[in-house]
């Protein structure tokens, strides 16, 4: 199966990403931008949602009008903790989406993803999952999250991030060629600590001001 990566190159997304990359962007501003960009990215990722035609009445005439199919409610799964920042924006666009959480931390020397939390809505096997994490760096967390979610058997999965490294995309698609990736940009490479270069630093620290 061909690996699929979609770059969301909308000018608003690109502009906001540049502001987020800048080292002197404050925590408050970074948080606000991640939320805004989360909404814009979700808008692009959900382009293929099916519509149903329902009879409605405008003030002037009846018509058949398109509406989102209610049974297509998505489950957004946030990889904690930085996924929360994207999730907040996504929920502005889809307030009735179900939400799951996966807690993973990167073991500092090996960069292996260790799970410490896992909570999903009960009917995930009848739903489409959007997994969100701002940074696809080594790909270890994303692969571990999707491995775990496949055990539950959702109807489909997509992976959404803000920034990806070529190494992470390669690793992810070797393990999960059936899961398309959506990202705002693909950067150059990883450094020795597994950070994306030029990147934006540690997304969790920048989101929560923990550094
Ligand atoms: N996680 C981050 O928050 N930033 C990176 O650059 C890589 C992983």
């Amino acid at each position: 199966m061909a690996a699929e990566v979609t770059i969301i190159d909308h000018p608003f997304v690109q502009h906001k990403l540049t502001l987020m990359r800048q080292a002197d962007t404050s925590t408050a501003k970074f948080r606000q931008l991640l939320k805004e960009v989360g909404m814009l990215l979700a808008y692009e990722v959900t382009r293929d949602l099916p519509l149903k035609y329902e009879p409605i009445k405008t003030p002037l005439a009846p018509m058949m009008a398109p509406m989102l199919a209610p049974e297509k409610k998505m489950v957004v799964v946030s990889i904690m903790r930085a996924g929360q920042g994207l999730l907040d924006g996504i929920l502005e666009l889809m307030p009735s989406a179900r939400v799951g959480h996966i807690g993973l931390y990167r073991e500092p020397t090996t960069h292996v993803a260790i799970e410490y939390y896992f909570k999903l809505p009960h009917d995930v096997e009848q739903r489409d999952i959007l997994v969100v994490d701002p940074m696809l760096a080594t790909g270890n967390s994303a692969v571990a999250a999707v491995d775990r979610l496949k055990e539950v058997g959702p109807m489909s999965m997509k992976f959404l991030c803000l920034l990806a490294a070529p190494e992470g995309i390669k690793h992810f698609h070797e393990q999960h060629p059936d899961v398309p990736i959506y990202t705002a940009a693909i950067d150059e490479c990883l450094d020795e600590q597994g950070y994306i270069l030029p990147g934006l630093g540690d997304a969790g620290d920048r989101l929560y001001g923990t550094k």
Side-chain angles (χ1 to χ4, degrees), residues 119-141:
K119 185 88 179 169
L120 292 183
H122 68 277
D123 55 355
V124 164
E125 64 288 343
Q126 292 149 35
R127 296 190 184 275
D128 300 304
I129 288 187
L130 179 62
V131 188
V132 302
D133 188 349
M135 310 299 273
L136 180 63
T138 60
N140 290 341
S141 301

Side-chain angles (χ1 to χ4, degrees), residues 5 32 57 61 93 126 130 153 171 188 198 209:
V5 183
Q32 178 61 29
K57 284 188 191 141
L93 186 72
Q126 292 149 35
L130 179 62
H171 179 42
E188 285 164 28

Side-chain angles (χ1 to χ4, degrees), residues 82 106 135 137-138 190 194-197 199-204:
R106 282 206 303 178
M135 310 299 273
T138 60
L190 298 179
Y195 282 98
I196 298 177
L197 289 176
L200 51 71
D202 186 301

Side-chain angles (χ1 to χ4, degrees), residues 61-82:
M63 70 174 286
M64 295 298 283
M67 296 186 100
L68 285 169
E71 68 277 10
K72 286 302 279 185
K73 273 195 196 95
M74 218 174 224
V75 178
V76 185
V77 176
S78 158
I79 302 181
M80 299 193 305
R81 64 186 165 142

